[in-house]
Short mmCIF file of all heavy atoms in Angstrom, two decimals:
data_model
loop_
_atom_site.label_atom_id
_atom_site.label_comp_id
_atom_site.label_asym_id
_atom_site.label_seq_id
_atom_site.Cartn_x
_atom_site.Cartn_y
_atom_site.Cartn_z
N SER A 11 54.56 80.12 76.51
CA SER A 11 55.56 80.82 75.72
C SER A 11 56.94 80.68 76.34
O SER A 11 57.09 80.66 77.57
CB SER A 11 55.20 82.32 75.63
OG SER A 11 56.26 83.05 75.05
N THR A 18 58.26 83.48 83.60
CA THR A 18 58.68 82.16 84.10
C THR A 18 59.41 82.29 85.43
O THR A 18 59.20 81.48 86.34
CB THR A 18 59.57 81.47 83.06
OG1 THR A 18 58.88 81.39 81.81
CG2 THR A 18 59.95 80.06 83.52
N PHE A 30 56.00 74.33 96.80
CA PHE A 30 55.66 73.38 95.74
C PHE A 30 56.96 72.77 95.24
O PHE A 30 57.47 73.08 94.17
CB PHE A 30 54.91 74.11 94.62
CG PHE A 30 54.33 73.19 93.56
CD1 PHE A 30 53.34 72.29 93.86
CD2 PHE A 30 54.78 73.26 92.24
CE1 PHE A 30 52.81 71.45 92.88
CE2 PHE A 30 54.25 72.45 91.25
CZ PHE A 30 53.27 71.53 91.58
N LEU A 89 48.65 85.64 88.32
CA LEU A 89 47.61 85.06 87.47
C LEU A 89 47.58 85.67 86.07
O LEU A 89 47.56 84.95 85.08
CB LEU A 89 46.25 85.21 88.15
CG LEU A 89 45.05 84.69 87.35
CD1 LEU A 89 45.21 83.22 87.03
CD2 LEU A 89 43.75 84.96 88.11
N ALA A 107 42.76 76.50 84.54
CA ALA A 107 43.36 75.16 84.52
C ALA A 107 44.78 75.28 84.01
O ALA A 107 45.14 76.26 83.35
CB ALA A 107 42.54 74.22 83.64
N VAL A 126 58.48 69.88 83.16
CA VAL A 126 57.27 70.19 82.41
C VAL A 126 56.99 69.05 81.44
O VAL A 126 57.92 68.49 80.84
CB VAL A 126 57.44 71.52 81.64
CG1 VAL A 126 56.17 71.86 80.86
CG2 VAL A 126 57.78 72.66 82.61
N VAL A 150 59.00 62.46 83.78
CA VAL A 150 60.07 61.62 84.30
C VAL A 150 59.53 60.25 84.69
O VAL A 150 58.63 60.14 85.51
CB VAL A 150 60.71 62.28 85.53
CG1 VAL A 150 61.78 61.37 86.13
CG2 VAL A 150 61.33 63.61 85.14
N GLY A 173 67.63 63.07 71.98
CA GLY A 173 66.27 62.68 72.29
C GLY A 173 65.87 63.19 73.66
O GLY A 173 65.48 62.43 74.55
N ALA A 180 69.16 66.92 80.06
CA ALA A 180 69.80 68.21 79.81
C ALA A 180 69.87 69.04 81.09
O ALA A 180 70.86 69.74 81.34
CB ALA A 180 69.03 68.97 78.73
N GLU A 228 79.27 68.85 61.61
CA GLU A 228 80.51 68.17 61.25
C GLU A 228 81.65 68.68 62.11
O GLU A 228 81.86 69.89 62.26
CB GLU A 228 80.83 68.39 59.78
CG GLU A 228 82.04 67.61 59.30
CD GLU A 228 82.27 67.77 57.80
OE1 GLU A 228 81.44 68.40 57.13
OE2 GLU A 228 83.31 67.25 57.34
N LEU A 234 80.60 64.39 77.01
CA LEU A 234 79.54 63.52 77.54
C LEU A 234 78.39 63.47 76.55
O LEU A 234 77.93 64.51 76.07
CB LEU A 234 79.03 64.05 78.89
CG LEU A 234 77.83 63.30 79.50
CD1 LEU A 234 78.22 61.88 79.89
CD2 LEU A 234 77.29 64.05 80.71
N CYS A 262 69.09 51.52 68.30
CA CYS A 262 70.06 51.49 69.40
C CYS A 262 71.46 51.19 68.88
O CYS A 262 72.44 51.79 69.31
CB CYS A 262 69.63 50.47 70.44
SG CYS A 262 68.13 50.94 71.35
N PHE A 281 73.87 55.26 77.49
CA PHE A 281 72.57 55.05 76.88
C PHE A 281 71.77 54.00 77.65
O PHE A 281 72.33 53.09 78.27
CB PHE A 281 72.71 54.53 75.44
CG PHE A 281 73.72 55.26 74.60
CD1 PHE A 281 74.96 54.71 74.34
CD2 PHE A 281 73.42 56.50 74.08
CE1 PHE A 281 75.89 55.38 73.56
CE2 PHE A 281 74.34 57.19 73.30
CZ PHE A 281 75.58 56.62 73.04
N GLU A 289 67.73 33.73 67.67
CA GLU A 289 68.03 32.29 67.65
C GLU A 289 69.38 32.04 66.98
O GLU A 289 69.67 32.59 65.92
CB GLU A 289 66.93 31.53 66.91
CG GLU A 289 65.59 31.50 67.63
CD GLU A 289 64.54 30.72 66.85
OE1 GLU A 289 64.93 29.97 65.93
OE2 GLU A 289 63.35 30.89 67.14
N ARG A 303 85.08 51.48 67.35
CA ARG A 303 86.53 51.38 67.52
C ARG A 303 87.03 52.52 68.40
O ARG A 303 86.53 53.64 68.35
CB ARG A 303 87.23 51.42 66.18
CG ARG A 303 86.96 50.22 65.29
CD ARG A 303 87.71 50.34 63.98
NE ARG A 303 89.17 50.41 64.19
CZ ARG A 303 90.04 50.61 63.23
NH1 ARG A 303 89.63 50.79 61.97
NH2 ARG A 303 91.34 50.65 63.49
N GLY A 304 88.03 52.20 69.22
CA GLY A 304 88.62 53.23 70.05
C GLY A 304 87.88 53.51 71.33
O GLY A 304 88.19 54.49 72.02
N GLU A 313 67.43 43.20 82.37
CA GLU A 313 66.18 42.45 82.31
C GLU A 313 66.06 41.79 80.94
O GLU A 313 66.55 42.32 79.95
CB GLU A 313 65.00 43.41 82.54
CG GLU A 313 63.64 42.76 82.60
CD GLU A 313 62.51 43.77 82.85
OE1 GLU A 313 62.81 44.97 82.96
OE2 GLU A 313 61.36 43.33 82.92
N TYR A 320 57.08 41.06 76.14
CA TYR A 320 57.51 42.35 75.62
C TYR A 320 56.38 43.03 74.85
O TYR A 320 56.10 44.23 75.05
CB TYR A 320 58.72 42.14 74.70
CG TYR A 320 59.41 43.41 74.28
CD1 TYR A 320 60.31 44.05 75.12
CD2 TYR A 320 59.19 43.97 73.02
CE1 TYR A 320 60.96 45.21 74.73
CE2 TYR A 320 59.83 45.12 72.60
CZ TYR A 320 60.72 45.74 73.48
OH TYR A 320 61.35 46.89 73.09
N LEU A 364 80.06 53.87 77.05
CA LEU A 364 81.28 53.90 76.26
C LEU A 364 82.22 54.95 76.84
O LEU A 364 81.77 55.97 77.36
CB LEU A 364 80.99 54.27 74.80
CG LEU A 364 79.94 53.49 74.03
CD1 LEU A 364 79.77 54.09 72.64
CD2 LEU A 364 80.31 52.01 73.95
N ASP A 406 101.37 41.40 86.00
CA ASP A 406 101.32 40.68 87.27
C ASP A 406 102.41 41.11 88.23
O ASP A 406 102.19 41.22 89.45
CB ASP A 406 101.41 39.17 87.02
CG ASP A 406 100.14 38.60 86.42
OD1 ASP A 406 99.15 39.37 86.29
OD2 ASP A 406 100.12 37.40 86.07
N VAL A 436 83.74 31.05 100.85
CA VAL A 436 83.72 32.39 101.43
C VAL A 436 83.27 33.36 100.34
O VAL A 436 83.70 33.27 99.19
CB VAL A 436 85.11 32.78 101.97
CG1 VAL A 436 85.08 34.20 102.54
CG2 VAL A 436 85.57 31.79 103.03
N ARG A 445 76.64 46.34 94.25
CA ARG A 445 76.28 45.32 95.26
C ARG A 445 76.61 43.91 94.77
O ARG A 445 75.80 42.99 94.87
CB ARG A 445 74.81 45.44 95.65
CG ARG A 445 74.49 46.76 96.37
CD ARG A 445 73.03 46.89 96.71
NE ARG A 445 72.79 48.07 97.54
CZ ARG A 445 71.59 48.58 97.81
NH1 ARG A 445 70.52 47.99 97.30
NH2 ARG A 445 71.46 49.63 98.56
N GLY A 459 91.26 40.93 103.40
CA GLY A 459 91.03 41.37 104.76
C GLY A 459 92.12 42.25 105.33
O GLY A 459 91.87 43.04 106.25
N GLY A 463 96.35 49.38 102.33
CA GLY A 463 97.26 50.29 101.64
C GLY A 463 98.65 50.34 102.23
O GLY A 463 99.53 51.01 101.69
N ALA A 475 101.56 32.92 102.90
CA ALA A 475 102.24 31.66 102.58
C ALA A 475 102.90 31.08 103.83
O ALA A 475 102.84 29.86 104.07
CB ALA A 475 103.27 31.89 101.48
N ASP A 481 104.34 27.38 99.54
CA ASP A 481 105.50 27.92 98.85
C ASP A 481 105.17 29.35 98.40
O ASP A 481 104.26 29.56 97.59
CB ASP A 481 105.83 27.05 97.63
CG ASP A 481 107.09 27.50 96.91
OD1 ASP A 481 107.43 28.70 96.99
OD2 ASP A 481 107.71 26.65 96.26
N PRO A 490 97.85 36.61 91.36
CA PRO A 490 97.53 37.86 90.64
C PRO A 490 96.22 37.81 89.86
O PRO A 490 95.53 38.83 89.74
CB PRO A 490 98.74 38.04 89.71
CG PRO A 490 99.87 37.44 90.48
CD PRO A 490 99.27 36.23 91.16
N ARG A 494 93.44 40.59 90.27
CA ARG A 494 92.96 41.34 89.10
C ARG A 494 91.43 41.34 89.05
O ARG A 494 90.80 42.37 88.78
CB ARG A 494 93.55 40.72 87.83
CG ARG A 494 93.44 41.55 86.58
CD ARG A 494 94.27 40.93 85.46
NE ARG A 494 95.69 41.02 85.71
CZ ARG A 494 96.43 42.09 85.43
NH1 ARG A 494 95.88 43.15 84.86
NH2 ARG A 494 97.73 42.10 85.68
N PRO A 504 93.20 50.35 94.00
CA PRO A 504 94.61 50.70 94.11
C PRO A 504 94.80 51.82 95.13
O PRO A 504 94.06 52.80 95.13
CB PRO A 504 94.97 51.16 92.69
CG PRO A 504 93.94 50.52 91.81
CD PRO A 504 92.68 50.48 92.63
#
Side-chain angles (χ1 to χ4, degrees):
S11 171
T18 304
F30 188 64
L89 178 58
V126 181
V150 177
E228 185 176 354
L234 175 66
C262 291
F281 314 103
E289 291 180 16
R303 293 181 61 185
E313 184 179 0
Y320 190 81
L364 307 177
D406 287 355
V436 179
R445 294 178 173 168
D481 184 333
R494 195 171 291 276

